[in-house]
Every structure is written in C-alpha cells, then in structure tokens.
Amino acid sequence: MDMTILTKIGYFIAFHIVNLYCKTWRYKLVNRSAYDNLRSKGVSVVMAIWHDSILPCTFLHRKEGMVTIASDSKDGSLIAYALNKWGFNTARGSSTRGGVKAALKAVKLSKENKVPCAVTVDGPKGPRHQ
C-alpha cells in the first residue's frame, strides 16, 4: 500500500505512543510452560484470542515472528504497521473481504517460518467473546 509522508509520520508517532503505553502493563502468565514446551518440540501452535485482547497479546508475543491476519481496511493498515514493527508476519484480509485468501496465506507463512499463528475468534462487530 502506498502511503503519503504524513501517513507514515502519523503511523510512526501512533506506534511509539502505543508502544510506550504497552510497556506500562504487567502480565501474569498462566501455563506458559505448555506453550514453550510445544514450541520447543516444533509443534504448530495456533493461538485463539478475543478481539479485546489483541493489543496486550500482540505486545506480549512481539519479536516471536508469529503470523496473524490484519484487516484489509484503512484501519487495518495501521494495525499491520504496528504488527510488522513488533516482528509479526501479517496476511491481509477480513471476514467480508479476502478472508479465505488471508487465512491460506497465514497458514503458508506459519508453516514456512515454523512459527505460531494467532487469530481472533470473535468478530470485530460482535457478539463479544463468541
């Protein structure tokens, strides 16, 4: 996607504000050893997360090279920018536009790079946690 210089500057500023904000959080990891054990054995892992957990989960797993799907919308461009800065591989698409293509690309990237894949299992428009 072609971005104007103002868009690039805006993304850069927004990313660094969010990044600083995320660094103020404290996490309690529950059963992390199971995840680490599966990863060390080379088992393919797919993480299912809720939409309202995207930010803390992606920040927690930054730099792992994980694969995820970002919307093919304008808002999705900002999200994909942040995900890529945090080391994620992204496939672009949504449930209404290019979802199957994005899902297939995510599976391909996950297999090629031998990294986990993270997907949201509830819709962005609801119902929440279903």
Side-chain angles (χ1 to χ4, degrees):
M1 171 180 252
D2 241 357
M3 287 194 282
T4 67
I5 190 70
L6 288 177
T7 302
K8 288 179 184 179
I9 291 169
Y11 281 14
F12 179 84
I13 292 168
F15 170 76
H16 286 286
I17 290 170
V18 169
N19 200 50
L20 284 171
Y21 176 65
C22 291
K23 288 181 179 185
T24 67
W25 294 341
R26 300 294 171 256
Y27 294 89
K28 179 181 178 183
L29 301 177
V30 178
N31 205 16
R32 174 69 190 234
S33 59
Y35 170 76
D36 292 336
N37 187 32
L38 289 171
R39 292 287 317 273
S40 69
K41 292 179 181 177
V43 175
S44 295
V45 176
V46 176
M47 298 178 73
I49 61 173
W50 303 120
H51 261 87
D52 59 8
S53 300
I54 290 173
L55 189 55
C57 287
T58 53
F59 187 76
L60 181 64
H61 291 281
R62 68 193 186 284
K63 301 178 186 172
E64 291 183 25
M66 199 176 284
V67 174
T68 192
I69 296 171
S71 173
D72 207 14
S73 67
K74 203 173 198 178
D75 290 345
S77 294
L78 176 57
I79 293 165
Y81 174 86
L83 289 168
N84 291 326
K85 295 279 281 180
W86 279 333
F88 282 79
N89 292 294
T90 55
R92 301 293 301 275
S94 67
S95 56
T96 56
R97 256 190 316 177
V100 173
K101 182 180 80 167
L104 292 173
K105 183 177 179 187
V107 169
K108 181 182 175 192
L109 286 169
S110 182
K111 286 182 177 181
E112 284 176 354
N113 298 303
K114 294 181 172 58
V115 294
C117 186
V119 294
T120 53
V121 292
D122 59 345
K125 297 177 184 174
R128 184 173 183 247
H129 293 183
Q130 291 185 23

